[in-house]
Amino acid sequence: MRILSAVFFLMSFWVGCSAQEIQENPVKLGAEVLLDQHLSELKGKRVGLLMNPSSRVDGTHMVDTLRNLGVNITALYAAEHGFRGEAGAGEKIEDGIDIQTGLPVYSLYGSTRKPTPEMLENVDVVLLDLPDMGLRFYTYNSTMGLMLEAISEQEKELWILDRPNPLGGSYVAGWMLREKYKSFVGSYPIPIAYGLTMGEMARLIVGEEYLKLDQKPGFKVIETKGWKRNMMWPETGLGWIPPSPNLPTFEHLYAYAGTVIFEGTNLSEGRGTEDPFLNIGSPTFQVPGSVLDSLSRVHNVKLSSKTFSPESKPGVAAFPKLEGEKCHGIRISFNGNYLKTDPLKLGIDLLKLAKKYDPNFKMHPFANNLWGIDIKGILDANQTIPDWEKDVLEFNEIREKYLIYE
């Protein structure tokens, strides 16, 4: 995790931080800080872990590291995508047993999403190490909120092992969630991209009373070290461990911030291909090359024509949209030049292209849950998509007192 790849070395120049600076001031995850400074505080405690497959330090999953260090792990909790193994987006996670340790694994992404008293009965403290993506519709912030409610009710503790926000701590964009579109992919009245770490998010949702709490939950943040708000993931020098099967690289995540909206349409968002969220298309989506060239210049990206056929990929995309059908559409490439592109604004313009150039284009109500406004009604009525400047200004004032990092 401490060795910079050639890709990160080159990217560091684009995003304003030299490789030498990264090496001199390495970013350390909250999990690493826990191992270095806080293990003694866990002595005598029964410990639960809310983690996923990327919860690793030096290649080893935290459950194995902590057990080897003598920590009394008594329960494991699985959010979307599972605890150790890979599970595709939306795939139900079942309760079970972790084969390598024999520990019980309680699913928080199935019929139960808020931990029950029975699930927390044998723990004193829960360690949360989930790789949030800094996007409202990525479900880990919702899972954390429900865990905060549960540990408050059961008078347990939650330690949040903080991580950098991959999109950076300064990128705030999108509309505040409208109450009528509240769901598990949008639990709080915040913008789509909120520029907070999980630790900062916990402080916000507790401080602003976004949760159902009778008493303040006992939680603390184990801060990441060396991270600055203006750093996106490539600048941190940390290796990318896919937080979910359809986000294999940072580039896929960056596109996902905008192209996730195609999950709320009848077009393919690229699941079932090698490049989910970088490929967009359908059997009837044909965009002139001149239009793609023009939009590429507007957004400082490379948009090119792409033909693909989604295929079933167990554990990644078991039943992808338009499976086996020949899709025509768009391939997105950022070429590492992320600062010059607002991915959410790109997503808006790609959505407009789909409406204009796909005669069979349809939006589903789920799109409103993803973006938190009536985007379906707006497009169906051929209305102008509103800007979000006022929402972002309001949110930035709210979040200021909950920030941890400079």
Side-chain angles (χ1 to χ4, degrees), residues 52-55 81 86 131 133 138 239-249:
N52 93 335
S54 67
S55 302
H81 310 299
E86 294 182 338
M133 295 296 100
Y138 201 76
W240 181 265
I241 301 175
S244 52
N246 285 285
L247 298 177
T249 72

Side-chain angles (χ1 to χ4, degrees), residues 313-325:
K313 295 177 179 291
V316 180
F319 303 102
K321 200 185 307 179
L322 301 175
E323 181 180 355
E325 297 188 45

Side-chain angles (χ1 to χ4, degrees), residues 57-339:
V57 172
D58 294 332
T60 302
H61 199 287
M62 280 291 286
V63 64
D64 302 314
T65 296
L66 290 169
R67 277 170 57 85
N68 289 338
L69 291 170
V71 177
N72 182 23
I73 309 298
T74 56
L76 309 178
Y77 304 94
E80 187 175 9
H81 310 299
F83 185 85
R84 277 194 199 263
E86 294 182 338
E91 291 186 24
K92 186 177 180 180
I93 308 296
E94 302 287 351
D95 289 350
I97 299 294
D98 179 51
I99 295 175
Q100 292 173 249
T101 63
L103 291 168
V105 181
Y106 298 108
S107 171
L108 302 182
Y109 195 76
S111 57
T112 300
R113 294 191 173 177
K114 178 178 176 179
T116 65
E118 291 74 22
M119 290 179 178
L120 293 170
E121 183 178 5
N122 293 318
V123 303
D124 302 306
V125 58
V126 175
L127 306 183
L128 182 152
D129 183 24
L130 291 177
D132 187 50
M133 295 296 100
L135 297 164
R136 189 181 62 216
F137 41 71
Y138 201 76
T139 62
Y140 288 169
N141 62 73
S142 294
T143 295
M144 179 177 67
L146 293 174
M147 178 60 82
L148 282 165
E149 290 182 357
I151 64 109
S152 172
E153 293 166 1
Q154 302 304 313
E155 298 183 341
K156 308 291 184 177
E157 295 179 64
L158 178 67
W159 294 9
I160 298 164
L161 311 186
D162 220 5
R163 291 167 168 256
N165 182 321
L167 298 176
S170 302
Y171 179 55
V172 180
W175 311 271
M176 298 274 256
L177 176 75
R178 298 345 184 209
E179 178 66 24
K180 67 185 296 185
Y181 301 120
K182 185 176 180 179
S183 70
F184 201 60
V185 294
S187 294
Y188 320 115
I190 60 176
I192 291 173
Y194 39 79
L196 299 172
T197 67
M198 284 286 261
E200 292 173 330
M201 174 66 80
R203 287 159 54 94
L204 171 79
I205 60 179
V206 171
E208 294 300 309
E209 300 181 351
Y210 294 156
L211 303 177
K212 298 175 182 177
L213 299 172
D214 292 327
Q215 59 184 341
K216 187 175 180 180
F219 79 95
K220 70 177 180 178
V221 180
I222 307 297
E223 299 177 14
T224 187
K225 302 297 183 184
W227 182 68
K228 304 295 183 182
R229 302 208 75 80
N230 62 355
M231 288 184 180
M232 283 194 286
W233 190 265
E235 234 178 329
T236 66
L238 298 169
W240 181 265
I241 301 175
S244 52
N246 285 285
L247 298 177
T249 72
F250 176 76
E251 183 174 38
H252 292 81
L253 164 66
Y254 206 71
Y256 169 77
T259 58
V260 70
I261 193 60
F262 285 93
E263 291 184 348
T265 73
N266 61 341
L267 277 74
S268 168
E269 69 286 348
R271 293 186 189 275
T273 75
E274 294 303 310
D275 287 307
F277 304 110
L278 291 170
N279 291 333
I280 303 298
S282 81
T284 53
F285 185 33
Q286 300 275 4
V287 185
S290 58
V291 173
L292 294 181
D293 290 342
S294 177
L295 198 60
S296 294
R297 290 190 292 270
V298 169
H299 290 283
N300 295 292
V301 297
K302 175 61 177 176
L303 302 176
S304 54
S305 297
K306 176 74 175 182
T307 300
F308 60 88
S309 296
E311 300 176 356
S312 176
K313 295 177 179 291
V316 180
F319 303 102
K321 200 185 307 179
L322 301 175
E323 181 180 355
E325 297 188 45
K326 186 176 182 180
C327 295
H328 309 284
I330 300 170
R331 172 65 163 82
I332 306 165
S333 178
F334 296 98
N335 297 317
N337 207 1
Y338 302 110
L339 281 183

